[in-house]
Amino acid sequence: PQWWSELGSRQLDKLIAEALQASPTLAAAEATLRQAQEVYAARAGSTLYPQVNANLSSQSQRFSPSASGQTGDARDFNLYNAGLSMHYTFDLAGGTSRDLESLAAKVDYQRFKLEGAKLTLATSIVTTAITRANLTAQIQAMEAILGSQEKQLGVTQERVRLGQAIPDDVLALQTQVEQTRASIPLLRNQL
């Protein structure tokens, strides 16, 4: 899962770790995964297991015999009530099981989507780092080539002055030097 660590660059490892921690895209994908997991857990709990509810209540009442035309003292009554209910959905046709399988598949899908987003982010960072290193090396190589060409131009100019070369050699080398010099800003722009 962390294939980039095989490249042996601590700086690259650190950069990718920071990106994985700070990416809002990954944070959104993680939240979506948690949501899918919670929906699955809630549905599984309500469909796989029986649901039991218990109720207890008490009530005090005062009965006055004078209200019904009788004589006597008022009496207090306490009424206690207890109830127990159980609910279970039978899955005769398998619809509930298929529903749970669908939700489990959505959890897997979100998990794979998160892993794919992590790999995509890491790949983009590694690709950018390699491209940058490549361009930096090209610029250094072109600057070294330019330095060599300028030295060769100087030697050829001295040879023309001494009569050992023709002026066309100087013109050809000047063209090469200018072409090399013109390619360096293009590489810097790409970098």
Side-chain angles (χ1 to χ4, degrees), residues 2-5 7 9 12-13 15-16 119-133:
Q2 294 184 340
W3 58 270
W4 57 88
S5 62
L7 297 174
S9 172
L12 186 61
D13 292 344
L15 185 62
I16 291 173
L119 289 174
T120 300
L121 178 60
T123 301
S124 295
I125 292 170
V126 169
T127 302
T128 301
I130 290 172
T131 302
R132 183 176 180 189

Side-chain angles (χ1 to χ4, degrees), residues 57-63 75-80:
S57 64
S58 68
Q59 184 179 11
S60 294
Q61 284 188 330
R62 180 175 281 262
F63 176 71
R75 295 184 182 164
D76 291 329
F77 291 98
N78 290 326
L79 180 63
Y80 298 100

Side-chain angles (χ1 to χ4, degrees), residues 88-150:
Y88 183 72
T89 304
F90 289 102
D91 191 15
L92 298 177
T96 303
S97 297
R98 299 300 82 76
D99 187 37
L100 287 177
E101 288 172 3
S102 171
L103 290 173
K106 288 178 183 177
V107 169
D108 288 341
Y109 171 75
Q110 292 301 330
R111 184 179 301 113
F112 293 135
K113 194 172 175 183
L114 173 62
E115 291 304 315
K118 286 179 180 179
L119 289 174
T120 300
L121 178 60
T123 301
S124 295
I125 292 170
V126 169
T127 302
T128 301
I130 290 172
T131 302
R132 183 176 180 189
N134 182 26
L135 288 170
T136 301
Q138 283 183 21
I139 290 170
Q140 291 172 350
M142 292 303 284
E143 287 173 344
I145 290 170
L146 179 62
S148 295
Q149 287 176 340
E150 286 174 340

